[in-house]
Amino acid sequence: MRGWIHMIIDGHCDAILKLFLDPKTRFDSDRVKMQASAPLLAEGDVKLQLFAIFIDDEMPNHKFHHMLQYIDLFYEQVASHPEFHVVRSGQDLAAVMASSKRGALLTIEGADTLMGDPMLLRTVYRLGVRAIGLTWNYANWAADGANEPRKGGLTLLGRQFVKECNQLGMMIDVSHLSEKAFWDVAEASTKPFFASHSNAIQICQHQRNLTNDQIQELIRIDGIMGLNFVPYFVTNEKTVSIKDILKHIDHVCALGGVNHIGFGADFDGITQFIPGLLNAGDYQNLAEELYKRYQKEEVEGFLHKNWMRYLHKNLPKDRN
């Protein structure tokens, strides 16, 4: 059944990492090595995809040059695709949603190579980056990540960096932060932040998932939570299905978050999969399950309208 096909906004993928690790991989044609290539995004009707820059910890001596390599890959393979338009502003977002184009929005997952330098932050902003997660799972100059044993928060430099992001118009992604760092961001930020690919810890016990208090804070500030498709973020059981994602949706809705739920599948950054959600082309399988359980308006919110509202509010209004 394909009667429920509907456009999607997805808050996180690691397609650029795949392109970097294997120069033979092609965004415009690969349906095997990649999970969020252009053909698969089209098949799943992903209208806007947020593309993360994630520099693998195993890469020795991370430098800003490596980030520039990823940005170059984004423009050479994604932005150059005739069906895609880079989204840097609310004006760009509106143009994509009103056209046959698909949008591509550039983000950073882990600010290690920026070293808290405002000039480097301004540079990546000018190159089109519009959102940044301060760290990955471990500690860096800015903050402790979700897997850092000491469970610390933001550093003094991290707090200053949050303020500089606010002033610049760079959105902040809290998905990989420690719980203490999350609350430090909540205290330091004057702008609504978001969690691009995190689930509810009440439903699945994993350090990367969010507590009820964290979810309610995202709701309070008018942020958004992109639910992740990594099986061990979805359930603690040995088997997983699409219906297990609905348990997280039910839980966030019960907390008052019906207008703050989206998806951030993490395609191309994962090696385990939910049956029926093997790549971006399978998004309509999720859509069909959603329409069986929720009202049409709610489903449209989950699939794209909640993300669209958040981004329209927090992206710069005009192209710059």
Side-chain angles (χ1 to χ4, degrees), residues 117-282:
D117 187 333
M119 180 205 49
L120 297 183
L121 176 64
R122 291 193 298 270
T123 298
V124 296
Y125 185 87
R126 289 170 182 143
L127 292 173
V129 175
R130 287 296 178 265
I132 187 165
L134 300 182
T135 187
W136 188 56
N137 281 334
Y138 303 102
N140 64 8
W141 57 264
D144 276 10
N147 291 355
E148 188 64 40
R150 67 183 175 182
K151 303 184 185 304
L154 295 184
T155 65
L156 290 175
L157 189 56
R159 286 179 179 271
Q160 181 60 38
F161 193 76
V162 168
K163 294 177 181 179
E164 288 164 350
C165 286
N166 286 166
Q167 292 169 2
L168 187 60
M170 183 78 78
M171 297 175 290
I172 296 174
D173 180 0
V174 297
S175 265
H176 277 280
L177 290 178
S178 68
E179 186 173 355
K180 176 65 166 60
F182 174 101
W183 290 111
D184 284 351
V185 168
E187 179 182 355
S189 181
T190 59
K191 302 288 183 66
F193 49 86
F194 69 100
S196 63
H197 57 305
S198 295
N199 295 345
I201 202 168
Q202 191 75 23
I203 302 301
C204 177
Q205 292 289 317
H206 192 284
Q207 63 267 32
R208 273 272 286 103
N209 287 342
L210 302 180
T211 67
N212 286 353
D213 287 344
Q214 289 175 297
I215 295 169
Q216 288 175 318
E217 178 67 7
L218 284 172
I219 295 167
R220 186 189 72 80
I221 64 170
D222 202 18
I224 188 167
M225 179 178 179
L227 298 180
N228 193 310
F229 296 172
V230 178
Y232 47 87
F233 290 0
V234 175
T235 182
N236 295 125
E237 301 299 324
K238 292 182 179 180
T239 59
V240 61
S241 73
I242 291 176
K243 292 181 179 179
D244 289 307
I245 296 176
L246 306 190
K247 296 176 184 177
H248 291 267
I249 295 175
D250 287 347
H251 183 76
V252 177
C253 285
L255 295 173
V258 66
N259 296 320
H260 304 273
I261 297 169
F263 297 103
D266 209 359
F267 285 134
D268 287 315
I270 59 178
T271 56
Q272 298 180 35
F273 304 92
I274 298 171
L277 285 176
L278 303 182
N279 55 53
D282 286 341

Side-chain angles (χ1 to χ4, degrees), residues 57 181 236 297:
D57 275 354
N236 295 125
E297 183 178 349

